[in-house]
Amino acid sequence: MNKTEVIARRILGWKLNRWDRWYDPEQGVFIYDFQPEESLDHALLIVERLKSFGYTYTATEEHEVWFNDVCENGDTLAQAITNAAFSLADNSTIDDGWL
Protein backbone atom coordinates (compact mmCIF):
# COMPACT_ATOMS: atom_id res chain seq x y z
CA MET A 1 0.00 0.00 0.00
CA ASN A 2 1.16 3.52 -0.70
CA LYS A 3 0.98 6.47 1.73
CA THR A 4 -2.39 7.67 0.52
CA GLU A 5 -3.91 4.22 0.84
CA VAL A 6 -2.52 3.64 4.32
CA ILE A 7 -3.80 7.01 5.54
CA ALA A 8 -7.23 6.66 3.91
CA ARG A 9 -7.79 3.18 5.32
CA ARG A 10 -6.12 3.31 8.73
CA ILE A 11 -6.64 6.91 9.81
CA LEU A 12 -9.70 8.11 7.95
CA GLY A 13 -11.46 4.74 7.95
CA TRP A 14 -12.36 4.95 4.26
CA LYS A 15 -12.89 2.05 1.90
CA LEU A 16 -11.71 1.95 -1.70
CA ASN A 17 -14.86 1.94 -3.83
CA ARG A 18 -13.22 2.11 -7.26
CA TRP A 19 -9.70 2.74 -8.41
CA ASP A 20 -10.42 6.50 -8.44
CA ARG A 21 -12.68 7.04 -5.43
CA TRP A 22 -12.96 6.34 -1.74
CA TYR A 23 -16.07 5.86 0.35
CA ASP A 24 -16.45 7.38 3.80
CA PRO A 25 -18.93 5.11 5.62
CA GLU A 26 -19.29 7.52 8.59
CA GLN A 27 -20.57 10.37 6.43
CA GLY A 28 -21.94 8.27 3.57
CA VAL A 29 -20.07 10.19 0.88
CA PHE A 30 -17.68 9.39 -1.95
CA ILE A 31 -14.30 11.12 -2.09
CA TYR A 32 -12.77 11.59 -5.52
CA ASP A 33 -9.10 12.17 -6.31
CA PHE A 34 -7.82 12.11 -2.70
CA GLN A 35 -4.25 13.46 -2.82
CA PRO A 36 -3.16 14.66 0.63
CA GLU A 37 0.46 15.25 -0.42
CA GLU A 38 -0.64 17.73 -3.06
CA SER A 39 -3.77 19.29 -1.55
CA LEU A 40 -3.65 21.16 1.74
CA ASP A 41 -7.43 20.76 2.09
CA HIS A 42 -7.04 16.98 1.90
CA ALA A 43 -4.14 17.05 4.35
CA LEU A 44 -6.21 19.08 6.80
CA LEU A 45 -8.83 16.30 6.78
CA ILE A 46 -6.10 14.09 8.23
CA VAL A 47 -5.23 16.70 10.86
CA GLU A 48 -8.87 16.97 11.98
CA ARG A 49 -9.25 13.21 12.16
CA LEU A 50 -6.09 12.79 14.22
CA LYS A 51 -7.20 15.60 16.54
CA SER A 52 -10.44 13.69 17.10
CA PHE A 53 -8.30 10.71 18.18
CA GLY A 54 -6.54 12.92 20.75
CA TYR A 55 -3.38 13.84 18.86
CA THR A 56 -1.96 17.32 19.19
CA TYR A 57 -0.99 18.96 15.89
CA THR A 58 1.83 21.49 15.81
CA ALA A 59 3.48 23.12 12.82
CA THR A 60 6.89 24.28 14.07
CA GLU A 61 8.59 25.40 10.90
CA GLU A 62 7.46 26.18 7.39
CA HIS A 63 7.32 22.54 6.36
CA GLU A 64 7.67 20.61 9.63
CA VAL A 65 4.79 19.20 11.67
CA TRP A 66 4.32 17.23 14.87
CA PHE A 67 1.57 14.87 15.93
CA ASN A 68 2.38 14.39 19.63
CA ASP A 69 5.94 13.02 19.54
CA VAL A 70 6.06 12.17 15.82
CA CYS A 71 7.82 14.80 13.71
CA GLU A 72 8.13 14.85 9.93
CA ASN A 73 8.88 17.41 7.26
CA GLY A 74 8.32 17.78 3.54
CA ASP A 75 8.64 20.12 0.60
CA THR A 76 5.19 21.56 1.40
CA LEU A 77 3.00 21.68 4.49
CA ALA A 78 0.61 19.17 2.92
CA GLN A 79 3.47 16.78 2.28
CA ALA A 80 4.77 17.19 5.84
CA ILE A 81 1.32 16.41 7.27
CA THR A 82 1.03 13.36 5.03
CA ASN A 83 4.49 12.11 6.00
CA ALA A 84 3.75 12.49 9.72
CA ALA A 85 0.38 10.76 9.39
CA PHE A 86 1.97 7.94 7.45
CA SER A 87 4.58 7.52 10.19
CA LEU A 88 1.76 7.14 12.71
CA ALA A 89 -0.29 4.75 10.58
CA ASP A 90 2.38 2.63 8.94
CA ASN A 91 2.59 -0.90 10.23
CA SER A 92 5.57 -2.28 8.38
CA THR A 93 5.32 -5.63 10.09
CA ILE A 94 2.49 -6.59 7.74
CA ASP A 95 3.76 -7.76 4.38
CA ASP A 96 2.01 -5.87 1.55
CA GLY A 97 1.47 -9.21 -0.18
CA TRP A 98 -1.00 -10.19 2.52
CA LEU A 99 -3.15 -7.08 2.13
Side-chain angles (χ1 to χ4, degrees):
M1 283 195 286
N2 64 30
K3 283 183 193 180
T4 301
E5 226 177 318
V6 167
I7 291 168
R9 290 178 192 273
R10 296 183 183 164
I11 292 178
L12 298 172
W14 296 349
K15 301 188 182 320
L16 190 61
N17 182 262
R18 278 192 342 207
W19 66 272
D20 66 339
R21 77 176 176 207
W22 292 91
Y23 179 70
D24 181 350
E26 288 181 8
Q27 296 184 11
V29 296
F30 292 100
I31 297 89
Y32 294 88
D33 200 28
F34 180 63
Q35 297 180 349
E37 284 188 292
E38 297 173 19
S39 170
L40 185 56
D41 289 338
H42 292 177
L44 291 176
L45 290 173
I46 299 166
V47 171
E48 291 307 313
R49 181 65 169 201
L50 288 173
K51 282 182 179 180
S52 75
F53 291 151
Y55 284 91
T56 302
Y57 166 75
T58 308
T60 55
E61 293 181 15
E62 187 175 355
H63 304 297
E64 180 180 274
V65 300
W66 290 78
F67 287 109
N68 291 358
D69 60 345
V70 174
C71 178
E72 291 289 341
N73 55 35
D75 295 334
T76 64
L77 181 58
Q79 191 177 54
I81 291 168
T82 304
N83 290 342
F86 180 72
S87 292
L88 286 171
D90 185 34
N91 186 352
S92 299
T93 59
I94 299 173
D95 183 9
D96 283 343
W98 287 98
L99 300 175

